């Protein structure tokens, strides 16, 4: 229902972006659940000789904690794909960018420096 509301709220030109965003969110969540299930299986296999009386809520929590993290990773992958990183079209970057240090060279002046005064020698 929430995804339907997000799709209905998007414009025609935004709809493909929102669809891809939601697909990657769901796929990432599913992969996160899969990783959580594998992790749970590994924990149970490692402690196979022990008698584990784990409540079902603990098992579900172990699996579900990886779901949102996987969803965020999926969204991050999608956003890195749709972000335009090419700078060949940028006309604004003529000089050095921020954070660069450029040596400032003073232009040669046409007038001479004033003469230096020397202290008088007492005799």
């Amino acid at each position: 229902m929430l995804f339907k509301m997000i799709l209905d709220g998007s414009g025609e030109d935004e709809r493909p972006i929102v669809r891809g965003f939601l697909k990657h969110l769901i796929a990432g969540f599913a992969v996160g659940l899969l990783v959580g299930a594998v992790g749970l299986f590994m924990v149970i296999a490692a402690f196979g000789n022990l008698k584990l009386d784990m409540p079902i809520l603990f098992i579900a929590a172990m699996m579900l904690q990886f779901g949102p993290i996987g969803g965020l990773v999926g969204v991050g992958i999608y956003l890195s794909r749709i972000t335009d990183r090419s700078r060949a079209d940028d006309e604004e970057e003529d000089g050095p960018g921020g954070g660069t240090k450029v040596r400032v060279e003073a232009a040669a002046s046409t007038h001479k420096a004033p003469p230096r005064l020397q202290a008088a020698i007492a005799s």
Side-chain angles (χ1 to χ4, degrees):
M1 186 71 180
L2 178 66
F3 293 158
K4 175 95 170 104
M5 290 172 56
I6 292 172
L7 281 172
D8 290 343
S10 64
E12 286 298 321
D13 54 340
E14 299 167 343
R15 201 167 296 262
I17 295 173
V18 171
R19 272 197 196 112
F21 178 83
L22 293 176
K23 284 179 185 177
H24 278 77
L25 178 68
I26 293 170
F29 195 86
V31 169
L33 287 179
L34 181 67
V35 168
V38 168
L40 177 66
F41 177 74
M42 289 174 53
V43 166
I44 291 174
F47 299 122
N49 295 335
L50 298 175
K51 183 180 178 202
L52 298 175
D53 292 328
M54 287 191 290
I56 193 76
L57 185 63
F58 180 69
I59 293 171
M62 284 182 67
M63 287 177 52
L64 288 178
Q65 69 184 347
F66 290 97
I69 296 169
L72 288 175
V73 169
V75 167
I77 290 171
Y78 178 68
L79 290 178
S80 68
R81 284 184 183 175
I82 65 170
T83 303
D84 185 18
R85 295 186 181 185
S86 66
R87 295 189 176 222
D89 298 334
D90 289 343
E91 299 291 330
E92 298 175 19
E93 294 190 32
D94 293 335
T100 58
K101 295 184 177 183
V102 178
R103 185 180 314 144
V104 178
E105 297 178 7
S109 61
T110 57
H111 60 279
K112 295 179 93 178
R116 292 192 157 172
L117 300 176
Q118 295 180 352
I121 299 176
S123 36

